[in-house]
Amino acid sequence: MRRRTRGAAAALALSVAGTGACVGLGVLPQAGAVTPPVAFTADALPTWQPNGVVWALAEAGGTVFAGGTFSAVRPPEGGAGTEQPAVNFTALDAATGAPTSCKLSFTIGSGTATVRALALSPDKATLYAGGYFGAVNGTPVSSLAAIDVATCTVKQSFRPAFAATVRALAVSGDTVYAGGDFLTVAGQPRQRFAAVAAADGALRPFRADADEPGRAVELTPDGRSVVLGGDFFTVGGASSHALAVVDAASGAVTKAYPNFIHTNSVVKDIATDDSGFYTANEGTGGGVFDGRIALDLAGFGQRWRDTCLGATQAVLPDQGVLYSASHAHDCSSVGEFPDGARHHLLAQPTTGTGKLGWSPDTNDGIGEGIGPRVMAVGAKAGVRYLWVGGEFTTVNGAAQQSLTRFASTGDTGAPTTPVASAASFRPGEVQVRWRTSLDLDDSRLTYRVYRNGSATPVATLAADSLFFRRPQASWSDTAITPGQTYTYRVTATDAAGNTSALSATASATVPHSADAYAERVRADGAQLYWRYDDAVLPYAADSSAGGNQNGVHLAGPALRQTPAAVTGASTAIGFDGAATKVYGDRRQTVGAAYSIETWFRTNTTRGGKLFGFGSNQDRRSSQYDKHLYMTNDGRLVFGVYNGATRTVTTAGSYNDDKWHHAVATQGPGGMVLYVDGVQRGTLNVTTHENFAGYWHAGGDNLTSWPNRPSSDFWAGRLDETAVYGSVLTPAQVQNHYSLASAPADSVVRVSAAEDTYANAGAPGTAYGTSGSLAVRGNPLYTSYLRFDLPPAPPGTVLKSASLSVKTSTMSGAGTADTVSVLPVAGAWSEADTTYNTRPAPGGPALATFGPVPDGSAVHTAGLSTAPVAAALGSSWSVALTGSGSDALWLWSSEAAAAEGTPQVTLTFGAP
């Protein structure tokens, strides 16, 4: 069946809304079901399913025909209906996926009958079926039959005689071309390829004899040439492996490919459009070709070659997109995902090898464990459907055998929930970062950032992501106040309007002065900067100025470990020495000059890799160098590979369970290793292995490296890991080491130990176990909050304090009035406080809120510093009082939705 492509993707324009700035972002999509040029959703529709393997698909007039090796079809999982007999063939409604009234049985006297190829006449009035069978509904045939589509009956006038399996078909106006295992047709020599008359099956003079089976046959759009694919090494006496172009009338070879496809690879499918034709290739053994090739019609020369590994079974060009069925597991050779999990359905533009945002998936299934084997497009009532057949038994993780379909409308799958973090390095900015989400049919997603629990986003922007490339996106909030804490949540929305859940809350407290260490690392050109302050797996935020080299946690390393290596930095990360690590989400190459930097702490006697560069992500890399590792006795090694392993090793050991600072550089001056600001070794080696890969923290392969430790994985903590595209100078290294111990602001957040409110309308009632707090002037509601404040850390003073509360979700929770925060002296408890026993608030006011808008959100007010500083190290209470009759309703600390509020944030720093 000839497949044509129409149209192309339209250009998109940038659109970013909200205050602040964005980093690493794409453009907002126009309205549509999926991201163009993809034309189908990734949501599998309910489809009746055979009990075997589907090898062939064709479509006519809203009916999809499926052939294969099976005996029955049954309803989709959970669907109504009972199993129906279907002997190697079924006809289904393209729109419903249910069987039609067309029933045909393909059988054989002995052996196993099968249908391997289906093709329609140009007018779609006749369906040709090829395979290995001797009868259709009892009518004798010989592995090739013609079916009248309108009546679903065998055309008895069409009686070719193929002596073995027919595996491929293509139909012109008056001729049917076949490929397969046969050596004779109608008793005449025809080796693996033949042509018969479309009307009666009479043998044509066409001769394109091949030495091995034929698996694919396609006509060029002008009908003058036939493209052949299969296992062969010769066609018509010419040396041509797996692919050949022959004259449509005579079968004479017009384009041979003697050394074009690897000798251990074959062509499984060929499809055409108006610009050229495409091959699906399968290899066996090592170093084979498993991918896809695009060839131009003019001259039949190669346009591009996709060298992904994972045998390709089918290709289908449609509207400028090439859909493919394979089990692709390694596309590193074309700059995409490394060797790993199998991906069975992919899409790419017909103009190149880059993958598009369409990646539904099946499993390998039964039989040979190949997964999907064939695809076809059908349409009904204005909706187009992409059908996929094969030997799979699941689709997108749900049970479904051998057949599935995807529509051009009705996208219902929401993106995954973003994983967000927030950080503030300087007084005027909070950087909100998140790992972009995954959507199986949308590579362009719209993100909305919500601050302090508000229902209205403060920023709306877009970013691109694919299943194997989910870069960090970020937005900078500049409408902020030093000393205050801000919370953020992020959602992702696809082109159809499906929206993810809100991310977990990320919070940041704005410092009064810049974080000297972080600012210097960024200013010195860090291209990757993992601070390990993340609170949620599996995302390691990149704090570099570029902000697009985030990491992914593997096997759950321990987050938020204290104490951290750098004064004022909140946390480090812990690795178990067995499986946990962080790998980079961005594939890249490393230039001739670079520096790697990290802080480390361990008492291990098994060594391990702290940080390095490798060719894979979540699996052991096959190429690996530019790394820091520790020997069993605690010595630190910096190693590169340039045809041989080259290492610099420290004389001393550093497994003393103390924080140490390591920097390794390589450039025109060779290799240098620093520990704790001091040069510990050099080597005059200026080159390393040049390959594309990913940065790793916490472990990767160390096979064949000198003094290889017992473990390739690191057991210990890391902090403040950075990579630079230049050689850090000795002065810069020393400066970083010194800044780590320099005084810096530190932040402590204290949640309410007790809270309640007094109600003049119920003077004897205690509300200490209520999930709510209330504030009003008249009739009176007064809320009381108690905090156990810590003392100031040694050598610091209180720089600022703030109080955060969160309005509840009840209607009218906000207030138009001013709410004052007043000091409260004396003891009280939430269990016993009522209107009658309430303590009297004092003065002056420490802060004010208001007006407070409706809608559940966090609101923060700066507190007078001196009274709070005087209460440090003790129990400290405040009252919230109203000025009018409009009540403010807040969540108490007992409410599940409080998210840590009410809360006091204390910022300490040098005097």
Side-chain angles (χ1 to χ4, degrees):
M1 181 175 62
R2 195 168 100 202
R3 303 153 186 151
R4 295 182 178 269
T5 181
R6 302 189 306 273
L12 302 175
L14 175 67
S15 176
V16 176
T19 60
C22 55
V23 177
L25 305 175
V27 300
L28 289 174
Q30 298 176 1
V34 294
T35 301
V38 170
F40 301 97
T41 79
D43 304 315
L45 298 174
T47 306
W48 279 60
Q49 48 194 326
N51 62 353
V53 178
V54 170
W55 295 97
L57 291 169
E59 182 273 343
T63 298
V64 172
F65 305 103
T69 312
F70 50 85
S71 61
V73 292
R74 65 185 187 277
E77 298 297 322
T82 58
E83 186 173 271
Q84 299 180 11
V87 183
N88 302 315
F89 178 88
T90 185
L92 302 116
D93 186 285
T96 67
T100 70
S101 60
C102 179
K103 312 292 183 183
L104 298 172
S105 295
F106 288 74
T107 57
I108 197 165
S110 63
T112 302
T114 184
V115 175
R116 293 299 180 106
L118 295 171
L120 285 150
S121 59
D123 61 5
K124 293 197 173 186
T126 303
L127 173 68
Y128 295 92
Y132 180 65
F133 47 84
V136 180
N137 282 6
T139 299
V141 294
S142 183
S143 294
L144 180 60
I147 311 299
D148 181 77
V149 172
T151 62
C152 190
T153 58
V154 178
K155 289 188 173 183
Q156 298 195 31
S157 60
F158 182 83
R159 299 295 294 273
F162 282 79
T165 304
V166 173
R167 298 183 179 275
L169 294 171
V171 186
S172 69
D174 60 0
T175 303
V176 178
Y177 297 88
D181 301 347
F182 51 86
L183 299 177
T184 63
V185 178
Q188 300 298 310
R190 293 292 190 274
Q191 297 178 12
R192 279 85 185 205
F193 294 101
V196 299
D200 59 8
L203 187 62
R204 296 291 199 197
F206 176 93
R207 292 292 297 269
D209 293 345
D211 61 334
E212 295 289 344
R215 298 183 181 274
V217 181
E218 273 291 345
L219 283 158
T220 55
D222 61 10
R224 296 178 180 179
S225 299
V226 182
V227 187
L228 310 178
D231 302 5
F232 50 82
F233 290 86
T234 62
V235 177
S239 175
S240 191
H241 174 53
L243 184 67
V245 181
V246 300
D247 180 77
S250 68
V253 175
T254 57
K255 176 70 174 180
Y257 298 88
N259 299 300
F260 187 64
I261 294 174
H262 193 281
T263 55
N264 287 350
S265 298
V266 301
V267 170
K268 299 296 291 287
D269 187 31
I270 302 172
T272 63
D273 63 12
D274 289 336
S275 66
F277 63 94
Y278 308 86
T279 68
N281 305 272
E282 175 185 83
T284 303
V288 299
F289 175 53
D290 266 349
R292 294 155 286 281
I293 301 175
L295 298 103
D296 291 320
L297 289 175
F300 303 112
Q302 178 175 294
R303 187 192 317 163
W304 52 256
R305 181 179 293 227
D306 184 338
T307 53
C308 289
L309 294 176
T312 307
Q313 303 297 309
V315 286
L316 192 158
D318 180 79
Q319 297 186 353
V321 175
L322 183 69
Y323 299 90
S324 60
S326 70
H327 56 261
H329 59 85
D330 185 352
C331 285
S332 57
S333 62
V334 291
E336 297 176 326
F337 52 90
D339 193 19
R342 291 181 167 190
H343 305 280
H344 297 85
L345 295 170
L346 298 173
Q348 60 199 84
T350 55
T351 55
T353 63
K355 303 303 177 290
L356 298 171
W358 185 81
S359 53
D361 203 13
T362 72
N363 65 351
D364 292 340
I366 59 176
E368 297 178 38
I370 295 293
R373 288 187 174 272
V374 64
M375 297 182 293
V377 172
K380 190 170 185 179
V383 178
R384 302 173 72 243
Y385 299 90
L386 173 60
W387 285 69
V388 179
E391 56 195 32
F392 49 85
T393 57
T394 67
V395 178
N396 291 341
Q400 177 70 22
Q401 184 169 346
S402 301
L403 268 179
T404 190
R405 60 200 175 98
F406 307 94
S408 60
T409 60
D411 181 12
T412 60
T416 59
T417 302
V419 182
S421 72
S424 184
F425 308 115
R426 57 175 71 98
E429 178 185 14
V430 172
Q431 186 186 64
V432 185
R433 302 85 58 93
W434 60 94
R435 188 187 186 203
T436 47
S437 298
L438 171 63
D439 190 288
L440 297 180
D441 47 32
D442 286 277
S443 56
R444 185 71 49 82
L445 298 174
T446 300
Y447 296 90
R448 292 177 174 83
V449 182
Y450 299 86
R451 183 173 61 190
N452 291 344
S454 172
T456 302
V458 291
T460 299
L461 44 95
D464 291 331
S465 57
L466 296 167
F467 70 89
F468 59 89
R469 185 182 300 125
R470 296 171 58 187
Q472 175 174 293
S474 65
W475 172 79
S476 292
D477 189 357
T478 55
I480 54 176
T481 301
Q484 294 199 14
T485 298
Y486 297 86
T487 63
Y488 303 89
R489 302 181 80 177
V490 183
T491 63
T493 303
D494 67 14
N498 301 304
T499 299
S500 72
L502 284 161
S503 71
T505 300
S507 63
T509 300
V510 184
H512 288 268
S513 58
D515 182 329
Y517 184 90
E519 288 290 84
R520 177 46 51 194
V521 169
R522 287 156 58 94
D524 283 345
Q527 297 173 340
L528 174 155
Y529 186 17
W530 295 343
R531 304 203 77 190
Y532 306 119
D533 293 338
D534 313 287
V536 181
L537 295 168
Y539 169 57
D542 178 17
S543 296
S544 71
N548 62 0
Q549 294 207 48
N550 58 289
V552 179
H553 301 123
L554 182 67
L559 305 183
R560 303 190 68 78
Q561 300 294 290
T562 56
V566 175
T567 303
S570 55
T571 60
I573 191 170
F575 299 98
D576 63 6
T580 58
K581 69 176 182 178
V582 179
Y583 62 83
D585 212 17
R586 178 183 171 191
R587 189 171 187 264
Q588 59 191 283
T589 56
V590 179
Y594 65 92
S595 302
I596 56 180
E597 174 181 39
T598 194
W599 287 80
F600 65 95
R601 180 175 182 173
T602 188
N603 60 2
T604 185
T605 58
R606 300 181 69 246
K609 182 180 291 192
L610 287 71
F611 191 76
F613 194 72
S615 59
N616 212 313
Q617 289 181 298
D618 57 355
R619 299 190 178 191
R620 288 168 63 88
S621 295
S622 58
Q623 294 173 284
Y624 39 95
D625 76 338
K626 297 175 280 293
H627 48 210
L628 284 168
Y629 64 92
M630 180 173 280
T631 63
N632 288 346
D633 60 3
R635 290 175 295 144
L636 201 63
V637 182
F638 170 36
V640 302
Y641 182 81
N642 65 351
T645 57
R646 311 290 187 177
T647 59
V648 178
T649 306
T650 63
S653 297
Y654 298 94
N655 55 347
D656 55 1
D657 203 23
K658 297 179 181 178
W659 280 111
H660 296 284
H661 178 236
V663 176
T665 70
Q666 187 181 27
M671 299 168 62
V672 183
L673 175 60
Y674 303 86
V675 181
D676 295 338
V678 178
Q679 182 178 297
R680 305 293 180 177
T682 64
L683 188 64
N684 186 25
V685 173
T686 60
T687 59
H688 55 81
E689 189 173 13
N690 185 20
F691 63 93
Y694 309 85
W695 290 107
H696 296 252
D700 197 10
N701 204 348
L702 281 170
T703 300
S704 301
W705 280 82
N707 298 305
R708 184 185 181 186
S710 299
S711 174
D712 289 350
F713 286 85
W714 169 251
R717 296 180 180 180
L718 295 180
D719 202 3
E720 306 292 326
T721 299
V723 176
Y724 305 80
S726 61
V727 172
L728 292 179
T729 67
Q732 287 174 312
V733 173
Q734 178 61 48
N735 190 25
H736 290 197
Y737 177 65
S738 300
L739 285 174
S741 57
D745 289 355
S746 61
V747 175
V748 178
R749 299 181 181 91
V750 183
S751 296
E754 291 190 280
D755 53 12
T756 188
Y757 73 97
N759 179 3
T765 301
Y767 293 92
T769 59
S770 171
S772 297
L773 301 172
V775 183
R776 186 173 61 195
N778 183 31
L780 183 142
Y781 294 147
T782 299
S783 287
Y784 294 90
L785 315 173
R786 182 174 67 79
F787 301 89
D788 294 329
L789 302 182
T796 69
V797 297
L798 184 67
K799 302 286 287 290
S800 68
S802 61
L803 173 65
S804 298
V805 294
K806 186 174 184 179
T807 45
S808 73
T809 54
M810 70 178 293
S811 177
T815 181
D817 300 332
T818 298
V819 172
S820 298
V821 181
L822 303 175
V824 173
W828 60 274
S829 72
E830 64 180 14
D832 299 326
T833 297
T834 67
Y835 176 82
N836 291 333
T837 63
R838 71 192 189 280
L846 304 174
T848 58
F849 292 93
V852 177
D854 290 343
S856 183
V858 175
H859 299 275
T860 302
L863 296 166
S864 299
T865 304
V868 180
L872 292 175
S874 66
S875 178
W876 176 71
S877 298
V878 295
L880 306 184
T881 63
S883 60
S885 59
D886 188 8
L888 172 68
W889 288 92
L890 307 171
W891 291 123
S892 75
S893 59
E894 282 82 4
E899 298 175 346
T901 57
Q903 186 179 84
V904 167
T905 299
L906 307 172
T907 301
F908 299 98

